[in-house]
Amino acid sequence: MIMKVQDAGTRAPQHEMRRGGGGQDRVRSTVHWDHPRGLAGIALLIRFAEQRGVRPEECLRGSGLSPTALADHSALIDSHQEIVVARNVFREFGELPGLGIEVGSLHHLSAYGPLGYALMSAETLGEMAEIAMEFIILTHCFSSITMTLNDSGSPLMAFEGNDVPEDIRRFLIERDMAATITMHRDMLGDPALSMLANVALAFPACESKSYDRHFQVDTMFDQNVSQLTFIRDESDFKLPQRNSYRVQEYLQSCIELRRIILERDSVSATLRARLTERGGFDEGLEAAARALFLSPRTLRRRLAEEGTSYRQIAEDVRRTIATDLLYKHRLSKAVVAERLGYRDASSLRRAARRWNNSTAT
């Protein structure tokens, strides 16, 4: 049985609760990462890069954003614009072990606006977790998060990102995990606390002090799933900055922000979903426009307003699917080329060189 939680003012539930074995609840976020989002995640990426000598213009290259655009704190961007910036930062610092951990450590509660203040004002850790899952669409998260209890009753948070672009998947998932601990410590009011027992990562071992320094517990690599395990269930723990009056005020702002995001008509997300469902096969702008009941001119205009283009989206979908088929499923270049509609393996190789030399999403 699934119990879906939904407030007035939303079009879709943000998480679902499943009753697990032993009567335990399993809560999973149901919001896909491909939705409009605020600029705070990009701003933190740029801050990280600037502190290491990289200009904002370099981080924003190819995203359709300018440094002055970051001053509009109410603006919403396409999630793939943040992916472009993340790729630019990754190209600059990808050789730095633990890059996602370093960036995630900057994600304090204050970066989340009304949601951050609502979390800080919650009565208990349990209430905080409920708020976080209900309004996860207001975070900078690219992971799908599942919360449950293990056999000993300790809380687990699993982070998955199977459809996050392969080239920056580890970076973004580790950023989400590190950001979770940063916010957790902010709520507890002590930078030395997190109540963590251990950290598991579904990625190869990495020689970096960032993991030990940030998590302050053992980190296990090459695991089946990336997850945080906490010492015990502390859902009744009273938060030091709890304020039952202010939390309701902040939650009303969260509901309004969520409504705006859910009701924004994102043509780019719809187009991306269609191309993904077609396995990355490029049907062409005119055919895509007909399928979306738009004229080609209107489709071009709507995509331009969202900071992207048909070609950018088609290329990124193909890139993501090709990488997955080549490296995860171990298919040959010839087979992948055929599936994606390329003439031959040589055409696929030329496309791969173009992807590697481009900042397009």
Side-chain angles (χ1 to χ4, degrees), residues 216-235:
Q216 300 176 18
V217 294
D218 291 336
T219 300
M220 301 175 290
F221 297 92
D222 292 303
Q223 302 301 299
N224 292 329
V225 64
S226 297
Q227 68 181 18
L228 305 172
T229 302
F230 294 86
I231 297 171
R232 57 187 175 275
D233 185 3
E234 293 283 0
S235 56

Side-chain angles (χ1 to χ4, degrees), residues 80-333:
H80 292 272
Q81 290 177 280
E82 184 165 341
I83 287 206
V84 172
V85 179
R87 280 187 174 135
N88 290 340
V89 172
F90 188 76
R91 287 192 184 100
E92 293 286 345
F93 304 103
E95 298 303 317
L96 176 65
L99 177 63
I101 307 300
E102 294 292 335
V103 175
S105 67
L106 302 176
H107 286 238
H108 291 279
L109 281 174
S110 57
Y112 295 85
L115 176 60
Y117 294 115
L119 294 172
M120 190 181 301
S121 304
E123 182 75 13
T124 64
L125 276 176
E127 183 181 50
M128 173 275 297
E130 291 180 4
I131 293 172
M133 293 298 282
E134 183 64 20
F135 293 98
I136 197 166
I137 200 170
L138 302 184
T139 70
H140 318 142
C141 194
F142 278 83
S143 307
S144 297
I145 300 177
T146 301
M147 297 177 63
T148 188
L149 300 177
N150 62 16
D151 293 339
S152 62
S154 297
L156 306 176
M157 290 185 69
F159 296 73
E160 298 176 285
N162 294 333
D163 60 348
V164 175
E166 174 69 26
D167 58 323
I168 54 170
R169 185 177 300 165
R170 176 172 186 162
F171 170 47
L172 291 176
I173 289 178
E174 290 190 350
R175 183 188 75 164
D176 293 346
M177 296 176 74
T180 297
I181 296 306
T182 298
M183 292 189 294
H184 196 240
R185 289 180 176 135
D186 286 350
M187 285 178 281
L188 294 173
D190 187 340
L193 286 178
S194 68
M195 300 182 183
L196 263 179
N198 60 66
V199 177
L201 293 172
F203 305 109
C206 181
E207 293 296 328
S208 172
K209 295 181 180 178
S210 300
Y211 298 92
D212 291 339
R213 183 171 59 247
H214 186 68
F215 293 124
Q216 300 176 18
V217 294
D218 291 336
T219 300
M220 301 175 290
F221 297 92
D222 292 303
Q223 302 301 299
N224 292 329
V225 64
S226 297
Q227 68 181 18
L228 305 172
T229 302
F230 294 86
I231 297 171
R232 57 187 175 275
D233 185 3
E234 293 283 0
S235 56
D236 293 330
F237 181 87
K238 299 287 186 182
L239 294 177
Q241 301 180 71
R242 59 188 181 276
N243 187 320
S244 58
Y245 173 76
R246 295 308 296 268
V247 73
Q248 294 303 318
E249 178 183 341
Y250 295 132
L251 286 178
Q252 288 303 312
S253 296
C254 290
I255 289 172
E256 177 61 16
L257 286 173
R258 182 177 60 186
R259 182 191 64 77
I260 292 171
I261 289 174
L262 290 174
E263 292 184 354
R264 171 169 162 169
D265 186 15
S266 177
V267 173
S268 56
T270 303
L271 175 60
R272 193 177 300 274
R274 174 175 175 78
L275 292 176
T276 300
E277 289 171 1
R278 292 174 55 84
F281 194 90
D282 188 353
E283 60 186 336
L285 183 140
E286 287 75 14
R290 286 195 299 271
L292 299 179
F293 304 102
L294 298 171
S295 69
R297 180 178 179 181
T298 299
L299 178 57
R300 288 191 188 92
R301 177 178 57 78
R302 295 282 292 277
L303 291 173
E305 290 172 351
E306 295 176 17
T308 187
S309 68
Y310 178 86
R311 182 53 46 204
Q312 286 179 312
I313 292 174
E315 287 283 272
D316 194 53
V317 169
R318 282 182 155 191
R319 170 184 179 153
T320 299
I321 293 176
T323 302
D324 189 60
L325 293 176
L326 288 169
Y327 299 106
K328 183 177 180 180
H329 297 283
R330 305 293 182 182
L331 299 182
S332 69
K333 288 185 174 65

